[in-house]
Amino acid sequence: MNRLCTAFALLLLGAAGPRSVHLNQVGFRPDGAIRAIVADDARGPLPWRLVDAAGRPVAQGTTIVFGDDPASGDHVHQIALTSPVPAGTYRFAVDGVTSHPFAIRADVYHPLARAALNYFYQTRAGIAIDARYAGGAQWARAAGHPHEVAGCFTGPDLNGTVWPGCPYRLDVTGGWYDAGDQGKYVVNGGIALWTLQNLYETNAKAPPFADGAAALPEAGNGINDLLDEARWEMRFLLAMQVPDGVRLALPLGRQVAGRLTLSEVDAGGMAHHKVADRNWTPLPTIPAGDREERLLYPPSTAATLNLAATAAQCARLWRGIDDAFSHQCLAAAGRAYQAALRNPDVYAAQAFTGSGGYGDSDLSDEFYWATAELYATTHMPELAAALHRMALDAAPLGDEPGWASTAALGTVTLATAPGIPATDRDRARAKLIALADRFLDDEARTGYHIPYATVRYPWGSNGAILNRGIVLALAARFTGQAHYRDAVIDAADYVMGRNALDRSYVSGFGWDMMTRPHHRFWAHQFDPRLPGPPPGVMGGGANNTALADPVAATLAGHCAPQRCWRDDGRAYALNEVAINWNAPLLWVATYLDLGPSQ
Ligand code: 9MR
Ligand code: 9MR
């Protein structure tokens, strides 16, 4: 009876279907964990075999029965290959079910890492996207917003707050479009840029993407391609800074929803929260075809601290490579930091249409992050003292980093940047290892054996899981222990196909991959003359907590958490793509590509 009920419940949640072997559709390196999942109602272990291209068995065993897994709604069996096998093409055969053929090879992550970086080129604003670098003529396009000289939003917003505007226009041409929309947001730009810069810094001895390794117009300029791509965004963030001495009317402190009270402050050095369309554009809208008015939205303390943090990081990385740019970054970081200290509680105004909010009501983590970055760059004792006064310095890390929770970014920098005193460095490392240990514990509690034990999948869950991968990878480096690295592989396995839906969430990679993102140009679904996504673009992923779009709305109550996803361009809460999600994909794929000996 009980079993019948469970079976019925699983059926309702859409879990029943042909059995298949769920695994990373990109394949595996021979020197890391090789795991697969079978959703099968059998209560006892099932025999499995690994067969090579000629059909010869090379390994065998029996499944580990995990049992009912609430995140997927599946009754789960796990397969773990424990003996090494030579490079080749293989299949798993489990109780009459045979998997797709997959590769075991040292270089499986290389194309993924390269494609994940190319996404940033293809989301560039202000420059024509060239078929030579985009991987094909279908992805070439005219420059979007090529001369973006924008003024400030002026007049009443949706809540009746009347914004007086500003006495200047800024040339904010360039940067990356955020996602499926063509807004450019300093807050989300910050974590995405930090992630690229951090990938460079944490591999500073032999940085990946040496000049010419990526498909970029800057290839051949003598500068690392990762830095070239990062600079495209850095320059945009620098351009978003309010000129010195300007006084602006801004909302101070937490105010009850509704019409805001504005007070005039010295806003010089703050950063505008975003530059974006006045109204939402429809799908599709090619970047060069956007006819909406582009506006600067009011500065926020969060955006200002994102600028301070990433510009400080920039100053450190470009020292000795382009000293003038390094100095420009350092000066901007200092001005932004001072501006944030002067105006510590200007929360991003939300009552606008045409762009996302990226609102955050707790800025203690942004202050911590920016202080850590400036300290790592300047080694000023005052900054060390400021850091040590912050509650976050002694506190354990709460969770993986995200656009609204940036404390861990500061901790990573304290743990890895050169010249940090041993006490600070070791405490930062210990905090990251403790967080990684929590993620390891999560693995044992999930049917799919992933470092993410929850039944509440957020908007952009794939990005969250890969950000956990970064923390785990750093723990692997600090400790030399392989199980952390294997957990990074688990995170990558999840987004590349070892999930309840048996789908690769990354376009161009796998036998059943994401093809229809929420995107205004990669919108073949809406206009057959437009392309689908180029390879290396990741959809946001399962989301059962904010079923905000019309497709997601139809799933409410009908999907197990990990199954609340559709490959549909209308589903912006499930299948949008975004710079802050592709950045950890790039980081993790590059880390895995570099191999365990790094
Ligand atoms: O296309 C927009 C997407 O980029 C955002 O992430 C999302 C949430 O802010 O909003 C999308 O735009 C929709 C808007 O919110 C409501 N009307 C329909 C818009 C396009 O689907
Ligand atoms: O990633 C953001 C997610 O955490 C929020 O819950 C969601 C709704 O506010 O917005 C997401 O960010 C979107 C942004 O507002 C506009 N560009 C697309 C982003 C990804 O969907």
Side-chain angles (χ1 to χ4, degrees):
M1 178 61 190
N2 240 344
R3 224 181 124 174
L4 204 68
C5 281
T6 317
F8 187 60
L10 291 179
L11 205 71
L12 277 181
L13 291 170
R19 287 183 307 159
S20 55
V21 183
H22 304 204
L23 43 78
N24 186 325
Q25 299 183 13
V26 154
F28 301 90
R29 291 181 58 109
D31 50 14
I34 297 178
R35 294 184 173 124
I37 295 292
V38 186
D40 192 300
D41 282 341
R43 301 285 120 170
L46 300 168
W48 61 262
R49 282 179 306 136
L50 183 73
V51 296
D52 68 12
R56 283 184 302 255
V58 293
Q60 57 190 357
T62 52
T63 59
I64 301 152
V65 185
F66 175 87
D68 292 331
D69 172 38
S72 60
D74 292 338
H75 185 264
V76 171
H77 291 238
Q78 302 171 341
I79 297 173
L81 190 66
T82 45
S83 51
V85 294
T89 301
Y90 297 92
R91 294 171 187 254
F92 279 114
V94 192
D95 190 35
V97 182
T98 305
S99 77
H100 285 264
F102 60 92
I104 299 182
R105 254 190 2 245
D107 62 355
V108 286
Y109 279 100
H110 194 69
L112 179 63
R114 220 171 162 269
L117 175 59
N118 192 250
Y119 162 82
F120 291 90
Y121 168 65
Q122 299 214 35
T123 198
R124 284 186 188 184
I127 187 175
I129 301 306
D130 189 317
R132 279 175 299 167
Y133 312 120
Q138 66 272 42
W139 293 300
R141 58 173 174 81
H145 311 96
H147 304 289
E148 187 151 68
V149 183
C152 293
F153 181 95
T154 308
D157 68 16
L158 295 172
N159 284 343
T161 305
V162 180
W163 297 88
C166 60
Y168 53 84
R169 296 168 79 79
L170 294 180
D171 183 344
V172 294
T173 309
W176 300 319
Y177 295 125
D178 189 52
D181 64 327
Q182 288 149 13
K184 301 190 295 188
Y185 307 79
V186 174
V187 163
N188 202 46
I191 185 171
L193 170 59
W194 180 92
T195 304
L196 267 67
Q197 293 190 145
N198 176 264
L199 178 57
Y200 179 88
E201 184 167 44
T202 51
N203 293 287
K205 283 193 200 110
F209 300 106
D211 185 32
L216 280 188
E218 293 83 6
N221 66 354
I223 287 170
N224 175 280
D225 289 344
L226 205 46
L227 284 186
D228 278 328
E229 192 56 65
R231 175 146 70 173
W232 190 263
E233 179 72 356
M234 189 70 250
R235 283 194 171 127
F236 159 68
L237 295 193
L238 293 171
M240 292 291 279
Q241 194 162 28
V242 176
D244 277 341
V246 170
R247 298 188 66 79
L248 294 177
L250 297 175
L252 306 186
R254 292 202 182 84
Q255 302 191 17
V256 281
R259 189 140 62 86
L260 300 168
T261 303
L262 305 184
S263 313
E264 203 175 277
V265 298
D266 173 0
M270 292 186 79
H272 284 278
H273 196 64
K274 58 189 171 186
V275 56
D277 294 317
R278 183 185 284 279
N279 297 295
W280 283 112
T281 55
L283 271 73
T285 296
I286 60 171
D290 179 6
R291 298 286 165 260
E292 274 296 328
E293 190 183 2
R294 300 282 285 186
L295 294 164
L296 295 171
Y297 288 85
S300 67
T301 306
T304 305
L305 290 166
N306 272 259
L307 171 61
T310 51
Q313 193 191 19
C314 158
R316 209 161 64 228
L317 301 188
W318 285 89
R319 232 183 251 152
I321 299 174
D322 181 340
D323 286 332
F325 188 56
S326 167
H327 285 137
Q328 187 191 351
C329 282
L330 187 58
R335 283 169 53 221
Y337 191 66
Q338 292 299 333
L341 292 175
R342 207 165 57 235
N343 302 301
D345 56 357
V346 179
Y347 299 100
Q350 297 291 320
F352 305 106
T353 180
S355 55
Y358 286 124
D360 184 359
S361 56
D362 180 355
L363 305 181
S364 59
D365 50 323
E366 280 76 13
F367 271 106
Y368 183 71
W369 174 33
T371 308
E373 296 296 346
L374 272 158
Y375 173 54
T377 302
T378 65
H379 301 127
M380 281 167 61
E382 300 89 310
L383 290 168
L387 263 184
H388 297 150
R389 277 196 304 272
M390 293 183 186
L392 282 172
D393 197 45
L397 286 166
D399 231 324
E400 75 280 353
W403 62 263
S405 38
T406 56
L409 307 183
T411 309
V412 169
T413 287
L414 294 174
T416 55
I420 302 291
T423 47
D424 287 321
R425 187 199 59 205
D426 292 347
R427 194 178 43 215
R429 290 187 176 189
K431 281 163 66 169
L432 288 162
I433 293 166
L435 185 59
D437 285 337
R438 271 181 42 202
F439 300 160
L440 282 183
D441 288 346
D442 272 20
E443 296 213 301
R445 296 193 282 126
T446 54
Y448 277 72
H449 205 271
I450 55 174
Y452 200 64
T454 182
V455 288
R456 295 182 54 77
Y457 275 63
W459 193 310
S461 58
N462 286 339
I465 292 167
L466 292 173
N467 273 324
R468 289 187 168 204
I470 295 179
V471 173
L472 286 158
L474 292 169
R477 287 212 183 139
F478 302 151
T479 63
Q481 290 175 19
H483 55 277
Y484 293 113
R485 181 183 174 83
D486 284 344
V488 185
I489 295 171
D490 288 323
D493 283 358
Y494 172 83
V495 300
M496 301 314 297
R498 198 225 292 163
N499 51 58
L501 295 173
D502 201 13
R503 293 287 293 256
S504 158
Y505 286 108
V506 178
S507 56
F509 289 86
W511 46 81
D512 191 5
M513 63 208 182
M514 189 279 280
T515 59
R516 309 204 304 176
H518 180 81
H519 196 274
R520 281 166 172 72
F521 175 59
W522 303 324
H524 189 73
Q525 178 182 354
F526 303 105
D527 181 343
R529 292 164 301 181
L530 291 175
V537 182
M538 184 175 75
N543 169 6
N544 70 327
T545 54
L547 298 161
D549 66 63
V551 176
T554 66
L555 299 178
H558 300 290
C559 48
Q562 217 185 78
R563 292 174 175 271
C564 299
W565 183 75
R566 290 294 177 270
D567 188 11
D568 190 324
R570 296 167 300 167
Y572 54 80
L574 311 176
N575 207 29
E576 189 155 5
V577 307
I579 53 176
N580 62 314
W581 306 332
N582 242 74
L585 175 67
L586 165 65
W587 199 109
V588 163
T590 305
Y591 164 82
L592 292 175
D593 183 41
L594 290 173
S597 61
Q598 52 192 301

